[in-house]
Amino acid sequence: MKYDIVKFTLSKTDGQPLLDDELMQTGRDIVAAMAGEAGFESFEETPHGIDGYIQTSLFSQEAIEGLAEAVPLDIKVTFTVSEAEDKDWNETWENEGFTPIVIGKECVIHDMRQPYTGPALDMDITIDAKMSFGTGTHATTRMVVAELLRNDLQGKRVLDCGCGTGILSIVASKRGASKVVGYDIDEWSVANTLHNAELNRVYNVDVLHGDIHVLSHINGLFDVIVANINRNVLLADMADMKDVMHAGALLVLSGFYNSDSMMIAERAGKMGLSLVSTETEDDWCCLTFRSES
């Protein structure tokens, strides 16, 4: 998957350097919030502003120009765009692994490079992450895993939208799901999900390469759908998710900030989805809805 780097430089309106540290940080926060709405996935602060990363296919010069002009506080925003180097950004992290993560009192997620040595738990999941999101280290993943652990999935059909490492698919299978289907736009993630499923002796997970449109190739409805994705993608894809839900099915959404939860809930409500629960961790949110029809 190709990414562009947009380097945002913040200065005074007369072009002089912005020396006020507090104003610089406020400016970075504003740019990140606005860029997030335009599809940017991650950010890195720099001495002169902030760098944003966006999929090349989603980049819009017009949108970024509008963003730069709309920043308040008499801050001038300029930017340059370049293609991100096509490399494994997680190489160092992959080589070192991550510290085991315990969720609730029954599940531990650990890297194959760092075995879990604590008390035995009911669910022990090994993850070998390769350029994919979803190891349990991020709050959104932990919240969705916790929601799956709270629900009875025995005999249920589960859909994992944007499966990443496959961690949510694996948890669902180990919780008794009869069938799990995942999809991801990143071919690395498709391969990594299948690899991790095999590592955990999970054999009822199918993975497709593509976006929400792969649902047209899937037969049957689902009892549980999980999607830990960018806010804009959730808003765009929610109607398609609703179309493949049984009456009474659950939709578990995360990947967005608390400040975006009302927008997500309003869109879901218009589709006949009722809010069942709200979980928050740090500034992140996880919403669970039930289909009424």
Side-chain angles (χ1 to χ4, degrees), residues 148 153 155-174 176-185 189-190 193-194 197 202-229 241 244 246 250-252:
L148 290 174
L153 303 185
K156 302 291 180 66
R157 278 174 53 91
V158 177
L159 176 66
D160 184 1
C161 307
C163 52
T165 63
I167 179 63
L168 302 180
S169 293
I170 294 166
V171 170
S173 178
K174 287 181 173 288
S178 60
K179 184 65 180 178
V180 182
V181 177
Y183 69 83
D184 203 291
I185 61 173
S189 294
V190 173
T193 292
L194 293 171
V202 166
Y203 304 110
N204 63 341
V205 175
D206 289 338
V207 190
L208 301 176
H209 180 211
D211 58 14
I212 192 72
H213 296 99
V214 302
L215 295 183
S216 63
H217 303 293
I218 299 173
N219 294 321
L221 302 177
F222 292 90
D223 304 292
V224 178
I225 297 179
V226 293
N228 185 16
I229 319 178
M241 296 177 190
V244 295
H246 279 297
L250 293 180
L251 176 63
V252 184

Side-chain angles (χ1 to χ4, degrees), residues 28-208:
R28 290 188 184 113
D29 293 343
I30 292 172
V31 170
M34 297 174 70
E37 294 181 359
F40 281 74
E41 296 181 11
S42 61
F43 301 92
E44 182 180 6
E45 293 184 0
T46 67
H48 304 293
I50 189 168
D51 292 349
Y53 295 80
I54 185 172
Q55 293 179 35
T56 301
S57 60
L58 299 178
F59 175 79
S60 166
Q61 180 81 16
E62 183 178 357
I64 304 307
E65 290 174 351
L67 181 159
E69 294 175 359
V71 173
L73 302 177
D74 294 325
I75 296 176
K76 181 180 179 180
V77 178
T78 57
F79 65 90
T80 59
V81 184
S82 60
E83 183 177 318
E85 184 180 353
D86 189 12
K87 67 175 185 178
D88 185 346
W89 296 98
N90 291 326
E91 181 177 1
T92 300
W93 177 82
E94 288 173 2
N95 290 335
E96 297 176 355
F98 60 91
T99 302
I101 300 150
V102 176
I103 300 176
K105 297 181 179 180
E106 57 185 305
C107 176
V108 58
I109 302 168
H110 59 88
D111 188 273
M112 63 183 301
R113 302 158 191 79
Q114 294 194 30
Y116 173 64
T117 58
L121 299 176
D122 292 340
M123 189 179 298
D124 186 310
I125 297 175
T126 301
I127 292 295
D128 180 17
K130 295 290 185 183
M131 294 181 71
S132 305
F133 175 82
T135 60
T137 58
H138 197 275
T140 58
T141 308
R142 292 195 297 271
M143 287 189 290
V144 179
V145 169
E147 185 64 26
L148 290 174
L149 294 175
R150 282 191 289 268
N151 283 276
D152 179 13
L153 303 185
Q154 194 67 39
K156 302 291 180 66
R157 278 174 53 91
V158 177
L159 176 66
D160 184 1
C161 307
C163 52
T165 63
I167 179 63
L168 302 180
S169 293
I170 294 166
V171 170
S173 178
K174 287 181 173 288
R175 285 287 293 161
S178 60
K179 184 65 180 178
V180 182
V181 177
Y183 69 83
D184 203 291
I185 61 173
D186 188 342
E187 60 185 355
W188 275 94
S189 294
V190 173
N192 197 211
T193 292
L194 293 171
H195 172 61
N196 286 324
E198 185 174 352
L199 274 180
N200 289 275
R201 296 181 175 84
V202 166
Y203 304 110
N204 63 341
V205 175
D206 289 338
V207 190
L208 301 176

